[in-house]
Amino acid sequence: MTQETLLDRRTRLLGKHFPLFYDRPLHLLRGEGVWLYDADGRRYLDVYNNVPHVGHCHPRVVDALCTQARMLNIHTRYLHENIVNYAERLTATFDDDLKMALFCCSGTEANELALRIASKHTGGTGIIVSDHSYHGNSATLAALTTAFPTSEVKGPYIRTIRVPDPYRDGQTGDATAAEVATVIREMEAQGIKLAALLVDTLFSTEGLPNVPEGWLKSAVDHVHAAGGLFIADEVQPGFGRMGSHMWGYQAHGVTPDLVTMGKPMGNGHPLAGVVARGNLVNEFAAESMYFNTFGGNPVSAAVGLAVLDVIRDENLMENARAVGDYIQAGLHKLAANYDIIGDVRGRGLFFGLELVRDRTTREPAPRETSRIVNQMRENGVLISKIGRHENVLKMRPPMLFNREHADLLLSTLDRVIGSI
Amino acid sequence: MTQETLLDRRTRLLGKHFPLFYDRPLHLLRGEGVWLYDADGRRYLDVYNNVPHVGHCHPRVVDALCTQARMLNIHTRYLHENIVNYAERLTATFDDDLKMALFCCSGTEANELALRIASKHTGGTGIIVSDHSYHGNSATLAALTTAFPTSEVKGPYIRTIRVPDPYRDGQTGDATAAEVATVIREMEAQGIKLAALLVDTLFSTEGLPNVPEGWLKSAVDHVHAAGGLFIADEVQPGFGRMGSHMWGYQAHGVTPDLVTMGKPMGNGHPLAGVVARGNLVNEFAAESMYFNTFGGNPVSAAVGLAVLDVIRDENLMENARAVGDYIQAGLHKLAANYDIIGDVRGRGLFFGLELVRDRTTREPAPRETSRIVNQMRENGVLISKIGRHENVLKMRPPMLFNREHADLLLSTLDRVIGSI
């Protein structure tokens, strides 16, 4: 089967808009640690994938998956230790107030559940999100997607704010916090009660802006004062990726009412969840029977536990901090050499370069960004792009990325950016 | 860890309303074929679980899972043969018009996606469901849940119909088809355009009524005439469970525009999907970028393929027909002996007994139903209950259920019903 034929069959069966990376699509066969291997046996350094959080096909995670899958895989209306042990281990990584967990299969399901809990608690329907964000693919979440078009109508109960971005537009933290207060007032004037503020605490889709300290706390104070809840979407920053903290919200000095998590949670296995404050779960479930067929089943819980074990035993959060700092330093050196690099972004093992055509006007360089992403792939390093101008190189490798990998990334970036 | 302590921890971590079967909860450790083993080593015949469709921990499915999980588990924006091969094999089991597939992780995600596609295609928001149904746990699907209370508001764009049930209330097929036409007119009068009719083609939550032939086709004709789409929810009847057909809709002589599937698709692995007619997928995806992180990844697709292989190679659809017929005959014999059995229900390996206090008045017997379910568990056979009066014994075993298992089920039913 040639690659072209595979692509044709894919288009016929899955549709012509089914997303595909790179001008020259990559046909992958094997993954191991931070490495991916294509159908020709060529090796690629993976600086994109956060789903294989502790590394592609980590043997300890796969062993946990297979051992449990051979033993029992069943829904959670029977007693089983795995889900209880996992909920205990997971909630132990959160602040004291966040001590209950519900499990599901995807970030979409997690954000749906958190919004349902918030609506029930507040009696409200109003939702505030960032004006360049994405939280999932259900009808409700598509309606509040602002990072790309969807066919859903954005009703008056969805309001957007602009996340502060000191580099790009000078929006300050105070201005964004004030915007939150304003949209709450506007909703109330229309008779819409606030349910929740929902943000990715690393603002990755927004392009990883270096947000000022304290702004999120001010924004959340407005939300709480209006009776709303704060939902921290930890799909991107969670599970130690930021190096400094296990969860992104912790870097903002604020405690959420609900935390949602997904992608990295099962290292590829479809596992997601919601961790909730105080009595929110009991209050919600008293009125709405919530049951998720696959969520938290013995296999999913075993996988989730193994991921937590590996993060701890391989010191992956500490590694994210140390290697992340090393890469940040390297990116700053590159920025000193190349005018196209307008800004260096990120924290821990999630970093980006904002590319501009002119350092004074800061005119975004999306075409160059796309060329670099594709050239990096041709040079054996997989990255992508984000941001409202699609001009931020997105780099987010598995958590066992080390200095040697970092050197290969930096030298390849140096060569590719130099050739553009 | 004693069972009581496990239950206390479960309540503390997952909430006091987290669903649990049976008066005396079952602590399970192991599954194999149609058998489940508890923490005391006691064996139970599983006549409830459809998720382990081809049997608990089927070695061929687990091997496919583990082999691929050791090789590569990654999202679908790279080329990979598994998702293409699986889409091809899966769509080959459908009618000619249904030739495109999209994958996701749960029945909830599948129904969400199908409704989004229907809304995009029709430009409508109106949804018709049965008045005792459940299609998933997102906010949108909770709002159209009619089988139990949810905290979501049921807006005017959700209309319900009563599925014909010749035994219970004499609702005829013509009456239900006419109801569909009526609710469409009512919506149109309120300026609400119809998007879709969404039903489980086996009407399992409704209690498996023996619906008259042809009514669904008449209903769907009304839906199509109004510009709406028909979504067949095949989570329950699909993958050959009905014995007579691979998909439930085929028994009604009607072709859906969209088919959703979930639970049995991955034999426990979180795998679900939508199969769509003609150009619906391309039309939807042209406007809304749809991407599902875990849906159709190489591991999920390998598992899905293995399930299809086992259904074919072990003749499980034929088995469902033969053993299903055998069980139906046995249930009719029981009904001849026990007045409490008002009606015998079901098709293939999904069958039920409607229990009544009086055969003339047909007064439902929910308390007796619950006692029988619990007594069956004490006697080593796992079943459950459904129906709007919670008086239908629900029996839906893994597809490799054979005559020996059937005899054990029937003799235990005989003993337990006789003792009530």
Side-chain angles (χ1 to χ4, degrees), chain A residues 147-218:
Chain A
F148 53 82
T150 63
S151 54
E152 274 71 19
V153 176
K154 280 154 191 56
Y157 61 93
I158 296 168
R159 303 291 165 134
T160 62
I161 52 160
R162 195 167 189 90
V163 168
D165 180 351
Y167 176 78
R168 176 53 53 199
D169 56 13
Q171 170 92 334
T172 66
D174 287 349
T176 303
E179 247 191 278
V180 170
T182 303
V183 299
I184 292 172
R185 271 198 309 273
E186 285 171 3
M187 277 194 281
E188 284 173 349
Q190 285 188 266
I192 299 166
K193 197 172 170 346
L194 179 65
L197 166 71
L198 167 65
V199 294
D200 163 4
T201 57
L202 188 59
F203 311 102
S204 49
T205 305
E206 292 87 341
L208 299 173
N210 290 314
V211 299
E213 256 182 55
W215 83 270
L216 186 59
K217 182 159 185 341
S218 307

Side-chain angles (χ1 to χ4, degrees), chain A residues 10 66 76 106 109 263 293, chain B residues 10 66 76 106 109 263 293:
Chain A
R10 186 183 191 272
C66 297
T76 54
S106 68
E109 286 194 342
K263 294 192 202 300
T293 296
Chain B
R10 185 183 190 273
C66 297
T76 54
S106 68
E109 287 195 342
K263 293 192 202 300
T293 296

Side-chain angles (χ1 to χ4, degrees), chain B residues 30-330:
Chain B
R30 196 161 70 78
E32 191 181 350
V34 298
W35 299 102
L36 287 165
Y37 299 82
D38 75 6
D40 300 322
R42 186 171 176 197
R43 187 170 88 152
Y44 296 83
L45 181 67
D46 186 356
V47 196
Y48 173 77
N49 286 292
N50 64 333
V51 171
H53 190 63
V54 299
H56 288 283
C57 307
H58 194 291
R60 215 167 142 186
V61 178
V62 176
D63 285 348
L65 171 81
C66 297
T67 301
Q68 187 57 51
R70 291 190 198 287
M71 183 79 87
L72 180 67
N73 185 5
I74 203 158
H75 64 81
T76 54
R77 283 170 299 201
Y78 309 108
L79 292 178
H80 199 278
E81 296 208 340
N82 286 11
I83 187 171
V84 175
N85 291 342
Y86 182 46
E88 200 155 63
R89 279 284 302 283
L90 182 68
T91 54
T93 68
F94 283 90
D95 294 70
D96 280 351
D97 243 16
L98 294 157
K99 283 296 172 243
M100 291 185 81
L102 290 174
F103 299 108
C104 46
C105 304
S106 68
T108 294
E109 287 195 342
N111 281 323
E112 277 279 348
L113 176 56
L115 287 173
R116 289 188 66 197
I117 292 173
S119 288
K120 161 66 189 144
H121 177 77
T122 59
T125 54
I127 303 166
I128 304 172
V129 292
S130 140
D131 68 357
H132 196 78
S133 61
Y134 172 66
H135 297 281
N137 57 39
S138 63
T140 299
L141 297 173
L144 51 82
T145 295
T146 51
F148 52 84
T150 64
S151 53
E152 276 70 20
V153 175
K154 280 153 190 60
Y157 61 93
I158 297 169
R159 302 290 164 137
T160 62
I161 51 160
R162 195 167 190 89
V163 168
D165 180 351
Y167 177 77
R168 175 53 54 199
D169 55 14
Q171 169 91 336
T172 66
D174 287 349
T176 304
E179 248 193 276
V180 169
T182 303
V183 298
I184 292 172
R185 271 198 308 275
E186 285 171 1
M187 278 194 282
E188 283 173 350
Q190 286 189 265
I192 298 167
K193 196 170 169 351
L194 179 64
L197 166 70
L198 168 64
V199 294
D200 163 5
T201 57
L202 188 58
F203 311 102
S204 50
T205 304
E206 291 86 341
L208 300 172
N210 289 315
V211 299
E213 255 182 56
W215 84 271
L216 187 58
K217 182 156 187 343
S218 307
V220 169
D221 286 346
H222 288 304
V223 168
H224 282 156
L229 299 186
F230 169 44
I231 305 172
D233 184 331
E234 294 283 345
V235 167
Q236 297 294 339
F239 295 93
R241 177 161 296 275
M242 300 183 62
S244 54
H245 302 84
M246 186 69 170
W247 305 104
Y249 73 80
Q250 293 167 331
H252 296 281
V254 57
T255 306
D257 302 291
L258 293 152
V259 180
T260 58
M261 55 206 85
K263 293 192 202 300
M265 196 170 183
N267 215 49
H269 188 78
L271 172 60
V274 175
V275 167
R277 175 174 65 71
N279 205 37
L280 287 171
V281 168
N282 285 330
E283 187 185 276
F284 168 71
E287 193 160 315
S288 283
M289 195 283 288
Y290 181 84
F291 184 70
N292 192 300
T293 296
F294 303 122
N297 71 36
V299 174
S300 294
V303 168
L305 270 167
V307 170
L308 290 180
D309 285 345
V310 174
I311 292 172
R312 178 193 61 201
D313 295 348
E314 301 187 11
N315 295 309
L316 293 184
M317 194 162 96
E318 169 57 21
N319 182 69
R321 198 198 52 70
V323 178
D325 286 353
Y326 179 76
I327 292 169
Q328 287 282 331

Side-chain angles (χ1 to χ4, degrees), chain A residues 209-232:
Chain A
N210 290 314
V211 299
E213 256 182 55
W215 83 270
L216 186 59
K217 182 159 185 341
S218 307
V220 170
D221 286 346
H222 288 303
V223 168
H224 283 154
L229 299 186
F230 169 44
I231 305 172

